[in-house]
Amino acid sequence: MTADPAAVRRPWRVLMRRLGLLAVFLLTLLLAYLRNPFAVDLPTMYAEDGIWTALIYREGALAAYLHARPDYFTVGNILILHLAILINGLFHGVTEVDHLPATIGWVSYGFFAAVSFYPLLALRAYLPLAARVGLVLLFALLPFGVIAAEVWGRALNAGYAFLAVAVLTGLWQMALPRRSGFDGRVLWLDLLLLLCCATNPIAIAVTSVLLAGRLIRGLSGGHPRVHGNDLLLVLGLLLLTIPTVSGVLAAPRPDHDQALTLAGFLAAGVARPLLYPLVFPFYSQLTHGLVLGLTLLLGLFLAAGGRRLHGPDRRGYILTVGTLLLASIATAVQRPMLQQSLAGYVHSHPDRYFHAQNLLLLLAVVWAGVALIRTGRDWERRIGVLVLAALAATMLLNLRTILFTVDVPCPAVARGFHDQLRAAEPVPGQPDLMAVPICPDRWRAPYPTALRPPLAAADFSDGNWRRGVWARVDAPAAGFFINDRESAGTIGPGTRLRLGSGTVRTVRAVENNRLWLDGPPLDPDRDGYPAPVRILEQSGERSGS
């Protein structure tokens, strides 16, 4: 009996498909790194990444998940930071946090790579493979301004992308066949939707629309019923919606005193969210007239594509375009200060607020173009091909612009998180905390003092010192010196130190940056640079300086 050739080839096809998916994901991961290599090459702690990781170290992850912001949850952002802390602790130790910003960078790259990769899986029922691969590349190469470094490689601004994740998840879920009983696939997608809702408030509106559609379909027909999956999603939405709405309404919004002008709305509610990814090479040359004209053309193109869709495809397309418009209007109305920074179309910063809108715009344009090519008249097909080809050419011809970014602004002290920790100052009245200067300038994050890097002898050798340890045979003594006195913190006579060799000594004198200890001379090979020197307290051991 001979084997079925198709059955023999099937495992190889599955393997090749999985290897192909892995290759695409690794490509998106590489592109995420190239968008901001500073996050791991010059790793400094930046803005809320520092504030929130400090909160996790002080009060625990649960406090950060619940109270990182006073108005709404940022569970997705905190999840990235929490994973980074766990990974950093696994590889470097719980209290060794020098490498934490770089670890955050890699976890962030992984998140944004997953967001770019997601259309390949979520849109299988809607778009052909070529279009989905194109969307993956468009998502990964989404044009930003010159400070893309505040998004890629960071966690603090990842929450904006969760709105696009919610839409893609909803589209995937809408394409699944409805089962009569409990559906594990729907459960996992529901959990992802709830994660999006617990990170981006607009995702609550999107998920509510999806849930309403599910309930209507479940209650219609010959055998109306509410599925167990629907009840779980209802409960989760209620638990998230009530505190989110109350928090947003109660939070002070000092910028709401500004009146949103028509010109401001054109910049913040139309040009930046709806046009920028398509016209970014000449965005600064836009005028109000051009914005209105280009928006009209875009609307006609999207409407023409939507007319060519039917059934579930049209419902999914309407969800995408509707969320795009909702997010664009809500961002302009809720953040009227954007009209000042975006006035005159001079630059696109702050780009982070428009991340999801730009992703959804690219999805809508590709979807409309594919619809026209598939089912449109001859002239509509030509328009679809022309628009998609122009979009691809714009991206390819401007790769250098897309991949260019400047590093986030940092104070001079911050050559890395190690230096930021070294420059920490005591928090008045709270001896267990230290105020760590983070980026941008004048930001301080209150970390536990137990995270301060250990001392080490200076990397210096001459006739008297070897690897920072006193080494004169004719004048034996136990001493070492450090590069600067500030690194010694509050060390003084009587302080007990554990040296690199494991021995415990007591400081008997401090002369500028030289520390003289009791006992016999130190061993430069075991106690000298770069062996850590830790301060001991009667309550236990802690890293500090």
Side-chain angles (χ1 to χ4, degrees):
M1 184 177 64
T2 59
D4 182 4
V8 173
R9 289 194 299 268
R10 192 174 298 117
W12 286 103
R13 289 178 179 175
V14 172
L15 176 62
M16 295 305 296
R17 187 182 301 115
R18 291 177 178 176
L19 289 177
L21 292 175
L22 177 61
V24 173
F25 177 78
L26 292 177
L27 175 60
T28 61
L29 184 64
L30 173 63
L31 290 174
Y33 165 77
L34 293 176
R35 302 301 300 268
N36 175 28
F38 300 110
V40 295
D41 295 344
L42 297 171
T44 53
M45 192 64 76
Y46 182 65
E48 280 86 354
D49 283 357
I51 302 299
W52 292 339
T53 52
L55 177 61
I56 293 174
Y57 278 113
R58 291 194 322 270
E59 302 181 25
L62 182 60
Y65 282 119
L66 296 178
H67 306 299
R69 285 182 62 104
D71 45 2
Y72 58 85
F73 297 111
T74 55
V75 173
N77 308 69
I78 302 302
L79 179 61
I80 293 174
L81 296 174
H82 192 191
L83 287 174
I85 288 174
L86 294 176
I87 294 171
N88 184 81
L90 179 65
F91 286 96
H92 303 289
V94 176
T95 60
E96 301 293 333
V97 295
D98 290 14
H99 302 281
L100 181 57
T103 308
I104 294 172
W106 283 113
V107 177
S108 172
Y109 295 151
F111 167 75
F112 287 112
V115 172
S116 300
F117 179 81
Y118 198 26
L120 195 59
L121 303 179
L123 302 176
R124 284 176 294 186
Y126 303 94
L127 295 173
L129 178 61
R132 286 181 282 130
V133 172
L135 263 177
V136 168
L137 295 176
L138 289 174
F139 276 26
L141 294 173
L142 178 70
F144 262 54
V146 296
I147 313 184
E150 71 171 9
V151 177
W152 277 270
R154 318 288 178 189
L156 71 157
N157 292 317
Y160 299 104
F162 273 88
L163 178 59
V165 174
V167 173
L168 290 170
T169 304
L171 293 174
W172 191 350
Q173 197 175 79
M174 289 167 61
L176 293 176
R178 191 73 166 173
R179 295 180 178 177
S180 58
F182 189 82
D183 193 333
R185 297 173 303 169
V186 173
L187 174 62
W188 283 110
L189 293 177
D190 281 348
L191 292 176
L192 184 52
L193 281 173
L194 291 175
L195 174 61
C196 295
C197 293
T199 306
N200 190 306
I202 301 180
I204 293 178
V206 175
T207 305
S208 299
V209 171
L210 291 168
L211 177 60
R214 283 165 52 174
L215 291 174
I216 291 173
R217 290 195 301 272
L219 294 175
S220 61
H223 302 282
R225 60 176 297 175
V226 176
H227 291 257
N229 295 97
D230 299 337
L231 293 176
L232 290 175
L233 188 57
V234 168
L235 178 61
L237 268 179
L238 287 175
L239 292 176
L240 291 172
T241 301
I242 295 174
T244 298
V245 171
S246 60
V248 169
L249 293 177
R253 301 278 182 178
D255 57 316
H256 279 195
D257 295 336
Q258 304 179 36
L260 181 63
T261 64
L262 177 59
F265 181 77
L266 285 177
V270 179
R272 182 58 189 83
L274 301 180
L275 298 179
Y276 182 79
L278 309 177
V279 302
F280 68 95
F282 56 90
Y283 180 79
S284 59
Q285 277 75 53
L286 290 180
T287 62
H288 295 332
L290 274 175
V291 168
L292 292 173
L294 291 172
T295 304
L296 177 61
L297 291 176
L298 175 63
L300 292 174
F301 178 77
L302 296 180
R307 288 180 63 250
R308 292 296 171 183
L309 297 171
H310 303 281
D313 285 27
R314 174 172 286 186
R315 290 195 293 271
Y317 184 78
I318 291 174
L319 174 69
T320 301
V321 176
T323 305
L324 167 62
L325 296 177
L326 172 64
S328 301
I329 295 172
T331 300
V333 172
Q334 289 294 314
R335 303 181 186 276
M337 80 290 187
L338 291 175
Q339 64 183 331
Q340 297 177 354
S341 56
L342 298 172
Y345 314 106
V346 176
H347 52 73
S348 62
H349 185 76
D351 302 89
R352 58 186 181 271
Y353 295 118
F354 308 99
H355 194 168
Q357 296 94 304
N358 291 169
L359 294 176
L360 294 175
L361 172 69
L362 293 175
L363 170 57
V365 169
V366 171
W367 203 340
V370 170
L372 292 176
I373 294 171
R374 276 179 159 180
T375 61
R377 301 183 181 93
D378 287 342
W379 65 271
E380 289 177 320
R381 291 191 180 97
R382 287 193 288 270
I383 290 177
V385 171
L386 178 63
V387 170
L388 295 186
L391 178 59
T394 301
M395 295 293 184
L396 291 174
L397 294 175
N398 292 276
L399 277 179
R400 184 175 179 181
T401 301
I402 292 172
L403 296 178
F404 174 79
T405 183
V406 298
D407 198 5
V408 293
C410 281
V413 68
R415 296 181 297 273
F417 195 39
H418 183 89
D419 296 325
Q420 291 175 313
L421 291 167
R422 287 288 191 193
E425 300 174 350
V427 175
Q430 301 185 65
D432 293 333
L433 298 180
M434 57 180 178
V436 178
I438 59 175
C439 312
D441 202 6
R442 294 188 295 276
W443 279 60
R444 298 290 186 272
Y447 283 90
T449 55
L451 300 179
R452 192 192 298 268
L455 289 171
D459 185 13
F460 177 77
S461 299
D462 65 3
N464 297 323
W465 306 87
R466 185 157 70 89
R467 298 172 64 176
V469 171
W470 182 257
R472 283 185 56 176
V473 179
D474 60 333
F480 68 94
F481 78 91
I482 53 181
N483 285 322
D484 59 275
R485 180 66 185 90
E486 291 183 0
S487 295
T490 58
I491 291 179
T495 300
R496 298 173 67 243
L497 305 176
R498 185 185 299 276
L499 306 178
S501 61
T503 60
V504 176
R505 302 289 186 91
T506 301
V507 177
R508 61 179 179 81
V510 178
E511 299 174 357
N512 295 322
N513 58 346
R514 290 173 292 181
L515 306 180
W516 301 102
L517 315 177
D518 64 351
L522 306 180
D523 181 354
D525 294 323
R526 301 176 64 194
D527 299 319
Y529 178 87
V533 179
R534 300 183 181 275
I535 300 173
L536 299 181
E537 294 180 330
Q538 291 183 351
S539 58
E541 181 178 336
R542 68 175 177 89
S543 285
S545 57

